[in-house]
Amino acid sequence: MTQLTERQHWMSVLAHSTASQLDALWQTVALQPAYTPVRPAEIGLTRLQARMGGSGKRFVMGDATVTRAVVQLTDGTLGFSYVLGRDKAHAERCALVDALMQQPETHALIHEKIIAPLAALRHEQRQVRAQQIASSKVDFFTLMRGDNA
């Protein structure tokens, strides 16, 4: 993975985590890094777009609340986050984890203790959801009636 795609991966994992999941894993790390909020967590709206039939014309499906935050470590490293919902503490914690993942001395620890478990949990949840969807799948077929041979 290149650095950009690796960061995209951990940012996605953090954005899809819940506050309780992240907080539980954060406790196992036992870090107390000094940081300052550059952009304190703030709540806003974003437009959700969809496509007709999955590949057709785009349309606005609706709006969703999003919380974003930016923090800066004492060495100047910036951490960013965007999470769905209105949880400011979760957005700030995600931004802090993003900043720590950029640090060579904490990257491996944070990846092992936070990112990898969250990614595994997300993968498991997606597998369960895929099984639920597959179990409700209906195969339609056409029957010919009569002697149309």
Side-chain angles (χ1 to χ4, degrees), residues 21-85:
Q21 292 168 341
L22 183 57
D23 288 343
L25 293 169
W26 178 256
Q27 299 305 318
T28 66
V29 175
L31 289 175
Q32 297 296 325
Y35 69 93
T36 55
V38 173
R39 180 180 294 262
E42 58 186 356
I43 299 167
L45 283 177
T46 187
R47 280 248 156 108
L48 302 177
Q49 292 185 2
R51 290 186 180 272
M52 295 178 142
S55 61
K57 191 173 182 180
R58 284 186 181 195
F59 66 95
V60 175
M61 188 169 68
D63 295 327
T65 55
V66 175
T67 306
R68 69 178 178 180
V70 180
V71 300
Q72 184 174 30
L73 299 178
T74 54
D75 71 348
T77 303
L78 293 173
F80 299 85
S81 75
Y82 286 85
V83 294
L84 281 175

Side-chain angles (χ1 to χ4, degrees), residues 144-149:
M144 281 186 103
R145 230 177 134 181
D147 293 327
N148 294 338

